[in-house]
Amino acid sequence: MILFNDSRTRLRRVGVATAAAGLLAALLTAVPAAATPDPGDGTATGKEVSNSAQAEARAAIASGEIPGQDEIVHSANIKPLANIPKEAFTGLNSDLAFQGKYAFAGNYDGFRIFDISNPKAPRTVAQVLCPGSQNDISVSGDLLFLSTDSSRSDSSCNSTTQPATEKSSWEGMKVFDISDKRNPRYVAAVETACGSHTHTLVPERKNVYVYVSSYSPSATYPDCQPPHDGISVIKVPRKHPEKAAVVGFPVLFPGEGPDGGGNPGGPTNPGVSKTTGCHDITVLPSKDLAAGACMGDGILFSIKDPENPKVIDQVQDNVNFAFWHSATFNQKANKVVFTDELGGGGAATCNAAIGPNRGADGIYDIVGKGDKRKLVFRSYYKIPRAQADTENCVAHNGSLIPVKGKDLMVQAWYQGGVSVWDFTDSSAPKEIAYFERGPLSTQTLQVGGSWSAYYYNGYIYSNDIAKGFDVLKLSDRRTDQASRVRLDELNVQSQPDYFD
């Protein structure tokens, strides 16, 4: 096994040959229609890259600048413990949630439940076939929530693809009873405008509120009409989940005209996504706060009244951000990390041609008090390990590593792997550990790599789009105390108070 402890050379060299104007221009002018390619009911296919890019990838592998095809490399302070390949499902693996000794893994074909009581040997407990991208997943008590963001023939788990232009098509939220982990039971479906790309839970004792993020309306879609400048709020009674229903559609981007008041995108702001909804929301219930990553905008809002969230501040980055994808608070709630999913998650943006600022994290301090709080930009963070032009790579889903007095995070970067980094100094973030595989291919750009990488009860769990479920052990004096923090449940987009 090769350990790459000095990654500066890799960042400097790989991808320089592809710095032609056309590559960068294409990435910056294209507005992603979805955050990740939607293969429908099938698997993703590779995209051809130039002969020079193929040659460069092979040369980089031969010289040791990047790992070989499917080769695993990591820093000395991370140890891979287990990998569970895909079994029944062939679709893309997606997000993760945790409860007790179980991990719940989304897949475009459904979801999978793992027993992780022994992290070195996870066991599959159940696989539930229920197609519908992207099957973003969360759990709360005996309930499991699953997002459907592809137009289906009906709300059942036997549905097939159907055009969004047909009124009878269905997209939205599905709810399962998981009191018996071996036999999840489908109990409710709630249709939402423009479907549910992702969702976020705001749990209360009697009810669970679900914030549904979706986007890309069209006048030709009966159930997804513009302007679509808010989020759907679903109320789910815990004792009667079959009564789940939409209770509101708060407008987060008020404005005149058919497009609302979000970022207009191009041509006003070339290369920036037009805001037609939110991609992802992270709530911090202990502080009554939420942060929204909404295509062309980042927002901070209050959730004191969960049915009527109130926007506190709204920011844009029309220089380096293309698609505001997700958000993570630090524990003190005086910082937010926003991710930019340049290229929609299916492009090679971790090379020298793209550089260190595009497709990166943006670190914002939260200054002020109450409703006068403001988001103030401090710096960007991008992995310092360059990837080949056959590897999709960009900032994606991650979570805090709970260490008092420090701001530490583990994060997925698709085929860029898993990065552990420190943003205690908002202006000088740095990587402290990593794990990655070599490219899936040196001939075509194939979609793969870590979709989500989260820290839970002493271990890092990653759901690799193509390779399956990974368990990693991080051993480092800067993070070791985090293993003493134990949670009964973790949905990363519903951030817990780790030290309460």
Side-chain angles (χ1 to χ4, degrees):
M1 184 164 293
I2 302 171
L3 301 182
F4 292 122
N5 292 315
D6 184 356
S7 54
R8 291 170 295 178
T9 300
R10 294 175 61 192
L11 179 60
R12 185 169 62 246
R13 292 185 58 190
V14 178
V16 173
T18 63
L23 171 67
L24 190 56
L27 281 170
L28 296 182
T29 56
V31 177
T36 36
D38 181 358
D41 291 324
T43 56
T45 55
K47 179 182 178 181
E48 291 292 335
V49 299
S50 67
N51 290 335
S52 61
Q54 294 180 37
E56 186 174 88
R58 292 191 294 269
I61 290 172
S63 66
E65 290 181 49
I66 65 173
Q69 189 169 343
D70 287 337
E71 180 184 5
I72 293 176
V73 298
H74 54 84
S75 55
N77 53 356
I78 275 187
K79 181 180 180 181
L81 298 182
N83 170 262
I84 308 299
K86 294 180 182 181
E87 294 178 351
F89 301 150
T90 60
L92 309 183
N93 282 332
S94 58
D95 210 3
L96 294 169
F98 304 89
Q99 186 181 86
K101 66 177 185 178
Y102 297 101
F104 303 82
N107 180 284
Y108 276 48
D109 290 334
F111 65 91
R112 193 172 176 185
I113 302 176
F114 295 98
D115 181 335
I116 54 171
S117 54
N118 179 2
K120 294 181 180 179
R123 296 184 298 106
T124 300
V125 171
Q127 297 187 74
V128 177
L129 179 65
C130 198
S133 66
Q134 46 185 25
N135 278 341
D136 190 52
I137 193 167
S138 297
V139 294
S140 184
D142 287 337
L143 301 178
L144 179 147
F145 302 85
L146 204 64
S147 285
T148 299
D149 193 36
S150 58
S151 187
R152 312 296 299 180
S153 56
D154 56 52
S155 63
S156 76
C157 286
N158 297 316
S159 67
T160 57
T161 57
Q162 182 168 291
T165 52
E166 294 189 22
K167 178 61 180 173
S168 63
S169 295
W170 184 92
E171 299 180 60
M173 290 298 307
K174 295 169 181 170
V175 185
F176 291 79
D177 182 316
I178 53 168
S179 52
D180 180 355
K181 300 295 188 295
R182 296 184 180 277
N183 296 286
R185 184 169 56 89
Y186 188 11
V187 294
V190 181
E191 186 171 14
T192 54
C194 301
S196 174
H197 194 72
T198 66
H199 67 269
T200 303
L201 305 186
V202 185
E204 295 185 340
R205 182 171 296 178
K206 293 183 178 180
N207 305 298
V208 180
Y209 286 96
V210 185
Y211 289 168
V212 176
S213 295
S214 55
Y215 52 94
S216 295
S218 170
T220 65
Y221 300 161
D223 299 318
C224 184
Q225 292 282 300
H228 183 74
D229 47 14
I231 57 174
S232 297
V233 179
I234 298 173
K235 183 178 180 180
V236 185
R238 290 189 185 276
K239 291 185 178 180
H240 297 283
E242 70 279 1
K243 295 182 180 180
V246 174
V247 293
F249 187 85
V251 174
L252 303 178
F253 301 96
E256 296 181 358
D259 300 322
N263 198 316
T268 304
N269 297 315
V272 178
S273 293
K274 176 181 175 180
T275 298
T276 59
C278 289
H279 177 277
D280 210 339
I281 291 170
T282 293
V283 297
L284 193 57
S286 63
K287 301 291 194 299
D288 289 327
L289 272 181
C294 303
M295 304 181 73
D297 296 86
I299 58 174
L300 182 71
F301 56 103
S302 167
I303 57 169
K304 287 182 180 179
D305 179 355
E307 291 189 24
N308 297 286
K310 178 183 177 181
V311 175
I312 297 171
D313 195 25
Q314 175 181 351
V315 292
Q316 297 177 357
D317 179 349
N318 295 318
V319 176
N320 288 313
F321 260 47
F323 188 91
W324 296 67
H325 176 276
S326 52
T328 303
F329 287 101
N330 70 336
Q331 188 58 55
K332 291 183 178 179
N334 60 8
K335 298 177 188 177
V336 180
V337 175
F338 287 104
T339 68
D340 171 28
E341 199 180 43
L342 173 69
T349 70
C350 294
N351 54 26
I354 303 302
N357 295 336
R358 296 185 175 95
D361 295 313
I363 303 166
Y364 286 74
D365 285 351
I366 302 174
V367 299
K369 296 182 179 180
D371 289 350
K372 294 185 178 181
R373 283 172 285 191
K374 298 292 183 183
L375 293 164
V376 179
F377 173 77
R378 294 302 185 200
S379 67
Y380 298 105
Y381 170 75
K382 196 169 184 179
I383 55 173
R385 297 165 286 106
Q387 309 298 309
D389 287 335
T390 58
E391 295 179 278
N392 63 306
C393 173
V394 75
H396 213 238
N397 293 352
S399 76
L400 289 184
I401 298 177
V403 175
K404 282 189 175 181
K406 297 288 185 181
D407 296 324
L408 303 169
M409 185 172 174
V410 58
Q411 188 175 9
W413 288 78
Y414 290 121
Q415 287 194 70
V418 174
S419 176
V420 179
W421 59 289
D422 185 334
F423 63 104
T424 306
D425 181 345
S426 301
S427 299
K430 59 183 179 181
E431 184 175 76
I432 62 174
Y434 70 90
F435 165 90
E436 69 167 298
R437 290 180 170 89
L440 290 170
S441 171
T442 57
Q443 284 79 44
T444 59
L445 196 163
Q446 297 184 12
V447 174
S450 179
W451 177 294
S452 299
Y454 298 146
Y455 187 92
Y456 177 69
N457 291 354
Y459 297 88
I460 292 171
Y461 297 90
S462 167
N463 210 18
D464 188 290
I465 291 170
K467 295 297 182 180
F469 183 70
D470 289 309
V471 185
L472 311 174
K473 180 63 176 176
L474 174 64
S475 299
D476 191 290
R477 58 179 177 77
R478 294 165 289 191
T479 61
D480 285 347
Q481 65 177 274
S483 63
R484 297 195 290 269
V485 177
R486 314 299 290 184
L487 300 176
D488 295 326
E489 194 170 87
L490 177 63
N491 301 295
V492 169
Q493 288 73 34
S494 304
Q495 269 188 236
D497 185 338
Y498 289 98
F499 305 113
D500 184 4

